[in-house]
Amino acid sequence: MDDTDSIPSRSDLLDQFERLFGSRTPDFERQAEKLQQLRRRVSEQRGEQFAEEWYEVYGSPIELGRLAHARWTELGPNTKRHVVDELQLADPVGEEMNYLPASG
């Protein structure tokens, strides 16, 4: 999607899911479980406060994606744009991640 004024389509949303979760139809429950496992490891390695912040950063795209997927047809154009923009800014969660990205 190149035109910043266009309304994002469901396909645009699914493209972000594929980039973030490796699937256009992610299992959000499984993603949340995986994130909880990683959070426990981060807590052991870096402490609870760091883990809470880490979890908030990486958990937000999962929750946003889950809600947007369930209610995409009900969302207005500005909300769709905001959702896709937020997901584009998110980093994929991977096994190797045990850091909190610098905030912009």
Side-chain angles (χ1 to χ4, degrees), residues 3 18 29 44:
D3 183 358
E18 187 166 19
E29 294 301 318
E44 291 170 4

Side-chain angles (χ1 to χ4, degrees), residues 41-42 45-46 50 54 58 94-100:
R41 267 192 263 162
V42 169
Q45 294 173 1
R46 306 290 293 271
F50 186 88
W54 182 93
Y58 289 108
E95 293 292 330
E96 71 284 353
M97 290 187 177
N98 64 352
Y99 62 90
L100 187 66

Side-chain angles (χ1 to χ4, degrees), residues 19-44:
R19 183 184 69 78
L20 289 170
F21 310 121
S23 171
R24 291 175 67 83
T25 56
D27 178 345
F28 291 106
E29 294 301 318
R30 177 68 189 119
Q31 291 295 327
E33 288 173 17
K34 178 180 172 183
L35 191 66
Q36 278 289 351
Q37 292 169 357
L38 290 170
R39 184 197 179 286
R40 283 190 288 277
R41 267 192 263 162
V42 169
S43 179
E44 291 170 4

